Amino acid sequence: MYINKVDNGQPSFQKFIKIKGHPHEIQHFRKELLNKTDKFLTLGVKKEPYKSVLYLFSGKDFDEFIDWTKKLYFREFRTHIEKYMSKKPKVMDVDEAKKLLKK
């Protein structure tokens, strides 16, 4: 995963990323991330009662996401997103993502 600094100091995620963690941790990370920048799309999916996943999209992956939402029923796409995207996401946990966000 690459994180670039934009001129105004906001992080710019450049890939399709999957962040795993507890739903409360994911929710707090998502709020922090959206406060820093809005250059990407976030999609939260609750997998189990105590497990949640946050997907981040930017660039070409964001465009592919939009194309798929036009072709499929959104619930089907949302629950099986990795099946439909052309490449596998970079996987990390919430703690790793928080460290990268603070840089």
Side-chain angles (χ1 to χ4, degrees), residues 29-45:
F29 176 73
R30 188 181 204 178
K31 287 180 184 177
E32 288 179 32
L33 196 57
L34 293 176
N35 286 336
K36 294 250 182 193
T37 185
D38 60 349
K39 302 285 183 187
F40 51 88
L41 174 74
T42 63
L43 178 67
V45 179

Side-chain angles (χ1 to χ4, degrees), residues 17-66:
I17 302 170
K18 177 181 180 180
I19 301 172
K20 296 180 177 182
H22 192 275
H24 295 293
E25 292 176 338
I26 293 288
Q27 185 180 17
H28 291 295
F29 176 73
R30 188 181 204 178
K31 287 180 184 177
E32 288 179 32
L33 196 57
L34 293 176
N35 286 336
K36 294 250 182 193
T37 185
D38 60 349
K39 302 285 183 187
F40 51 88
L41 174 74
T42 63
L43 178 67
V45 179
K46 191 170 183 179
K47 296 291 185 180
E48 296 176 17
Y50 299 105
K51 293 183 182 179
S52 188
V53 174
L54 180 69
Y55 293 100
L56 302 177
F57 300 92
S58 69
K60 292 179 183 178
D61 298 314
F62 176 76
D63 295 337
E64 184 179 354
F65 176 85
I66 297 298

Side-chain angles (χ1 to χ4, degrees), residues 5-17:
K5 288 285 187 174
V6 183
D7 293 337
N8 57 6
Q10 296 177 341
S12 175
F13 289 88
Q14 298 296 322
K15 303 248 182 221
F16 173 36
I17 302 170

